Amino acid sequence: NKTGISNPCIHVCTLDDNKICLGCYRSAEEIRNWFHYTDEQKKETLRNSGIRCRKHDENNYDHYV
């Protein structure tokens, strides 16, 4: 890895209806372009995927557990 920013892929490559990966929460476009991105673009992608992950977790929280 030339940049030091690791690819967030965890090999659960399943896209939801919005074309967001359920493993890493990157969009199909972000996944496709990852190796062409600058470090700043990779950092932005990681921020966005973190936001998507937290929203997914909030929306799927089971209040009765």
Side-chain angles (χ1 to χ4, degrees):
N1 183 348
K2 293 182 274 183
T3 66
I5 300 175
S6 297
N7 186 332
C9 179
I10 61 168
H11 306 284
V12 179
C13 304
T14 303
L15 299 180
D16 68 11
D17 293 339
N18 297 311
K19 296 194 170 142
I20 300 296
C21 177
L22 297 176
C24 66
Y25 294 95
R26 291 180 293 167
S27 69
E29 181 180 353
E30 291 167 337
I31 293 166
R32 204 170 29 255
N33 293 319
W34 180 261
F35 291 104
H36 303 288
Y37 280 171
T38 64
D39 282 1
E40 238 357 272
Q41 289 171 308
K42 288 180 179 182
K43 289 175 187 175
E44 182 67 20
T45 297
L46 293 174
R47 282 190 289 273
N48 290 337
S49 64
I51 291 166
R52 290 182 198 118
C53 180
R54 286 188 294 281
K55 283 184 179 180
H56 178 265
D57 288 349
E58 288 171 9
N59 291 337
N60 290 297
Y61 177 74
D62 187 345
H63 298 279
Y64 299 104
V65 173

